[in-house]
Amino acid sequence: MGVGDGDGGAAPGALSCRNLRKTFGGTVRALDDVSIDIAAGEFFTLLGPSGCGKTTLLRAIAGFEAQDSGSIHLGGQPLDGLPPPQRPVNTVFQSYAVFPHMTVAENVAFALEMQRKPRGMIAARVEEMLALVRLQGLGGRKPSQLSGGQQQRVALARALAAAPKLLLLDEPLSALDLKLRNEMRLELKRLQGETGITFVFVTHDQHEALTMSDRIAVMREGKVLQVGTPTEIYERPSLRFVADFIGEANLIAATRVAPGRFRLAGGEELAATEDAGPEGPVTLVLRPERARLAAPDDTEGQALTGTVDQVVYDGADTTYHLALAGGAGLRLRAPSHGGRAQARVGDGVRVRVEPAALRAVPD
Amino acid sequence: MRGRAILLVPSGLLIGVVLVLPLVMLLVISLMQRNPNGGIVWGSFTADAYISFLWERGFSGERELNWDYVAIFLRSLGLAGSATVTSFVIALPTALWMAFQPPKRRLLLVFLVTLPFWTNLLVRNYAWMLLLRVDGLFEQILHATGLLTGRLGILYTPTATAIGLTYSFLPFMLLPIYLSIEKIDRRLLEAAFDLGADRWRVLTRVILPLSMPGIAGGVVLVFIPGIGAFISPELLGGGKTMMVGNLIQAQFGYSRNWPLGAALAFVLLALVLAATYLHRVRFRSAP
Ligand SMILES: Nc1ncnc2c1ncn2[C@@H]1O[C@H](COP(=O)(O)OP(=O)(O)OP(=O)(O)O)[C@@H](O)[C@H]1O
Ligand SMILES: [Mg+2]
């Protein structure tokens, strides 16, 4: 995925945020030196816990909040100082914010009417948009006569109607129930593919972020911690927080004794491929599905030993909670394979840990 | 079911005693003959009072059309209408401004709007007499600033009545409009801006339609009591520009024509009910 560089020659939908800072009330750092480059046509996700500044960043891009310093460029053009109506950016709000006094069609037509487009063109475009979000035939209804999911589609069609260069989506699915949310995820991906518009999508649901995004920016306390594809973020987190926030992870305290060599609290030594950094305390990240119980006759490879504390069956997978010989806990997950557990509570087990499955992150 | 029906008895009694009973009495009175000494002659049914609304008896006893009462009704409608329009024009921007103040200041402003209610309406209309009279405060200010050399000459004219009505009923226009604007979800306004609307079109396309219930309520609350108002026309109109309220008051007072007073009250009620019905039909879907 190419990345816009914010220069004059950038593609029309490429967004570049440079050193954005925003403070509320002198103390709350909602944005703390945020720099992000988003390529045209990318599905880019901002992911982070509540209060980390995701909404503030979107509002700065949309023009509702002026950053204290830093600049925002869209397609190489600076947006700074432009009021919201003049930015070729539209927003899908978490609460839908569909106009209750207008019909579905009037809602979708709103942005085009604001641009004083000819009536015939507006009518055709409204039909096209309603078809795109699969609301054909509902143009005459009032929003109060629609379900939550349908209202969300109206909000989407309304924001897309004027063909913005950039669509901002602030937790658009959080008000929907699980089934509808899954449906709308696919829908959003499809819409993004069909329109080719750059999407900046906000969520604090890591699963949503992993399944939908081209790239993800993980944020905390106003800072961008890591930007990368879902695979990079999940497989190669750069910080303990990222590893912990995205997916499940065993976080094992260890000491780096040499590049790629670590000693655990209980004295066991582990090796990791792909490692760099100074000697000293680190956290080892081990995804539960990357460790596996060794067969009884398997004595090869790098391994840890421990006893089974708990076995949790959840359908497709079974999770084994282990107490390592050194005292630390470890979770590992394996496919259930028809419900026959590979170990029982109290069993002593050997756990294979491939060096490629381990990743050290700074404490 | 029976147990629940019993719970309705108190409110039924209340409505019966304070609303239906006086209305029935008024209806009965309007259908009696007048007693020239005041009150009515019991048991003497006649439609005279209603007939005399439009026709009066000439010297020779024949009935002649008389437009005087109709003129008073029309003037009342006109004055109430202009007070409604003026107070709307003042109330809308004020309500808009109030609704976008910080919450704490909003409370203070609402309190200030209701402040006049702490003094008697009569006293407040007297105050307007002092402001509008010859050599009153307004005239002095206009003279001092050189904007006027002669007399202001507003007091005891329909204009003064309209000013008094507007002043008296302005809070009833302002508060419902303010409440409905304040209730609008701010995210809808942001959405409108986001979709390319400028301030004017956010106002006309989002704020105004969504505050329609409040505007309609304000119009009803100003226009309907405005028709029947009698303090402002009496004091500020100098009794020369009579309104329906004064006319009715006079029938029960010095004119000693209770049946006519009651009949006029019923005609007024019919007008008001018709207006309310039209309003209902128009804003049926409003929440
Ligand atoms: N208008 C404001 N005034 C004061 N503080 C604000 C304002 N808006 C946001 N903040 C603060 O800025 C920080 C970031 O807020 P923001 O709404 O951007 O978080 P978020 O990541 O969107 O959180 P959530 O997931 O809960 O929506 C928070 O600490 C919040 O309290
Ligand atoms: Mg938010």
Side-chain angles (χ1 to χ4, degrees):
Chain A
M1 183 64 59
V3 169
D5 57 7
D7 291 335
L15 181 77
S16 161
C17 301
R18 283 275 146 263
N19 308 101
L20 294 181
R21 288 174 198 275
K22 174 79 189 177
T23 329
F24 288 111
T27 48
V28 183
R29 285 197 197 156
L31 295 179
D32 192 356
D33 199 14
V34 169
S35 294
I36 287 179
D37 287 294
I38 300 172
E42 195 173 12
F43 196 119
F44 193 90
T45 297
L46 303 173
L47 176 65
S50 190
C52 71
K54 307 181 294 287
T55 298
T56 307
L57 180 53
L58 282 201
R59 289 175 63 80
I61 298 170
F64 289 116
E65 214 82 74
Q67 65 270 23
D68 298 337
S69 65
S71 65
I72 302 172
H73 286 70
L74 182 63
Q77 303 296 317
L79 292 182
D80 312 301
L82 283 185
Q86 289 172 30
R87 299 191 179 201
V89 174
N90 284 336
T91 308
V92 177
F93 297 86
Q94 177 175 355
S95 55
Y96 319 145
V98 175
F99 301 124
H101 58 295
M102 299 182 195
T103 64
V104 168
E106 286 166 346
N107 264 283
V108 177
F110 191 84
L112 298 167
E113 274 174 27
M114 295 303 111
Q115 297 179 354
R116 302 182 198 282
K117 292 275 193 287
R119 281 184 169 278
M121 180 264 171
I122 293 180
R125 181 78 178 156
V126 167
E127 280 312 306
E128 188 188 334
M129 284 298 119
L130 289 181
L132 187 68
V133 298
R134 302 177 202 269
L135 285 178
Q136 298 102 317
L138 297 187
R141 290 227 198 146
K142 282 285 177 71
S144 56
Q145 298 167 305
L146 298 179
S147 71
Q150 288 171 325
Q151 289 187 38
Q152 186 60 279
R153 284 161 204 260
V154 175
L156 265 169
R158 183 180 69 175
L160 288 170
K165 298 202 175 84
L166 178 65
L167 189 70
L168 307 174
L169 305 102
D170 194 353
E171 306 202 28
L173 308 182
S174 63
L176 304 177
D177 62 41
L178 189 65
K179 186 162 171 289
L180 216 53
R181 205 182 312 162
N182 286 331
E183 208 174 287
M184 282 301 290
R185 276 180 194 158
L186 297 176
E187 198 87 331
L188 272 181
K189 268 308 261 189
R190 180 181 63 83
L191 277 176
Q192 201 251 343
E194 284 178 21
T195 57
I197 293 172
T198 313
F199 275 32
V200 179
F201 179 85
V202 161
T203 181
H204 55 238
D205 180 333
Q206 44 103 3
H207 179 65
E208 206 160 272
L210 288 173
T211 52
M212 297 176 69
S213 321
D214 292 323
R215 283 192 309 151
I216 299 170
V218 182
M219 293 180 67
R220 183 180 61 168
E221 289 167 11
K223 290 194 179 68
V224 173
L225 301 182
Q226 188 175 1
V227 180
T229 63
T231 322
E232 281 165 1
I233 296 277
Y234 184 80
E235 306 290 347
R236 289 187 293 284
S238 61
L239 291 169
R240 183 192 158 101
F241 175 84
V242 177
D244 197 20
F245 193 74
I246 313 288
E248 258 187 274
N250 292 293
L251 300 172
I252 307 162
T255 310
R256 184 186 275 121
V257 291
R261 294 216 59 84
F262 305 91
R263 183 175 300 128
L264 307 195
E268 307 96 320
E269 292 223 351
L270 287 175
T273 48
E274 241 197 278
D275 183 52
E279 294 175 12
V282 293
T283 298
L284 289 176
V285 179
L286 176 62
R287 298 289 181 193
E289 72 279 7
R290 296 294 297 277
R292 64 187 166 78
L293 293 172
D297 54 345
D298 178 6
T299 55
E300 281 170 29
Q302 171 166 277
L304 295 168
T305 54
T307 47
V308 178
D309 263 353
Q310 216 183 342
V311 179
V312 179
Y313 169 80
D314 76 3
D317 296 326
T318 303
T319 304
Y320 300 86
H321 295 253
L322 313 177
L324 294 182
L330 188 79
R331 274 162 301 155
L332 72 84
R333 190 161 53 234
S336 293
H337 284 316
R340 200 152 22 80
Q342 300 175 40
R344 282 188 217 150
V345 175
D347 286 356
V349 291
R350 189 163 176 273
V351 182
R352 287 281 299 269
V353 181
E354 301 301 333
L358 275 180
R359 182 168 177 84
V361 292
D363 255 340
Chain B
M1 266 334 272
R2 284 198 83 77
R4 282 211 218 149
I6 286 174
L7 293 178
L8 290 175
V9 171
S11 59
L13 273 178
L14 191 69
I15 291 175
V17 171
V18 306
L19 189 72
V20 178
L21 197 61
L23 273 180
V24 171
M25 279 173 60
L26 210 57
L27 182 66
V28 170
I29 290 173
S30 76
L31 291 169
M32 298 282 150
Q33 261 170 28
R34 83 185 264 223
N35 179 342
N37 297 323
I40 47 171
V41 181
W42 283 102
S44 53
F45 276 97
T46 169
D48 267 1
Y50 290 97
I51 293 170
S52 65
F53 180 66
L54 276 180
W55 289 276
E56 65 179 356
R57 278 189 203 283
F59 288 114
S60 48
E62 82 285 0
R63 291 193 183 275
E64 300 170 351
L65 264 178
N66 170 13
W67 293 109
D68 287 355
Y69 295 150
V70 174
I72 291 174
F73 264 83
L74 288 178
R75 179 189 299 141
S76 301
L77 292 177
L79 281 172
S82 61
T84 308
V85 171
T86 318
S87 55
F88 173 74
V89 168
I90 299 171
L92 182 67
T94 315
L96 267 174
W97 177 77
M98 280 171 66
F100 289 97
Q101 295 301 305
K104 272 213 180 117
R105 192 179 305 162
R106 271 185 255 164
L107 274 181
L108 177 71
L109 289 169
V110 170
F111 172 73
L112 289 178
V113 169
T114 57
L115 209 53
F117 295 139
W118 293 81
T119 43
N120 185 284
L121 186 62
L122 207 57
V123 175
R124 286 184 276 141
N125 273 276
Y126 271 117
W128 272 99
M129 287 177 75
L130 299 182
L131 293 174
L132 293 177
R133 70 173 182 193
V134 170
D135 219 23
L137 186 63
F138 283 0
E139 212 172 271
Q140 286 182 12
I141 291 176
L142 288 174
H143 284 166
T145 53
L147 290 170
L148 184 82
T149 46
R151 291 276 163 237
L152 187 57
I154 282 184
L155 191 59
Y156 306 138
T157 64
T159 310
T161 307
I163 291 176
L165 289 179
T166 306
Y167 164 77
S168 307
F169 292 112
L170 184 58
F172 298 104
M173 181 67 86
L174 182 56
L175 289 177
I177 297 183
Y178 163 76
L179 284 177
S180 58
I181 294 179
E182 196 223 30
K183 225 174 46 191
I184 297 174
D185 187 346
R186 296 305 144 97
R187 285 169 295 198
L188 293 177
L189 310 186
E190 281 197 348
F193 278 123
D194 188 67
L195 292 163
D198 51 27
R199 283 164 168 270
W200 173 249
R201 285 194 285 182
V202 170
L203 177 69
T204 54
R205 297 293 307 272
V206 182
I207 297 178
L208 280 185
L210 286 175
S211 43
M212 233 28 220
I215 293 173
V219 166
V220 169
L221 285 177
V222 172
F223 185 65
I224 289 177
I227 304 174
F230 58 91
I231 289 181
S232 294
E234 180 81 34
L235 295 182
L236 300 172
K240 281 184 293 184
T241 51
M242 203 182 232
M243 289 177 67
V244 188
N246 309 103
L247 186 61
I248 296 174
Q249 193 198 15
Q251 303 316 313
F252 287 98
Y254 56 80
S255 294
R256 302 225 171 132
N257 194 345
W258 286 27
L260 180 59
L264 290 170
F266 257 91
V267 173
L268 184 59
L269 183 66
L271 274 176
V272 166
L273 285 180
T276 316
Y277 175 74
L278 287 178
H279 167 254
R280 271 280 178 83
V281 170
R282 170 68 183 76
F283 295 105
R284 208 172 16 198
S285 58

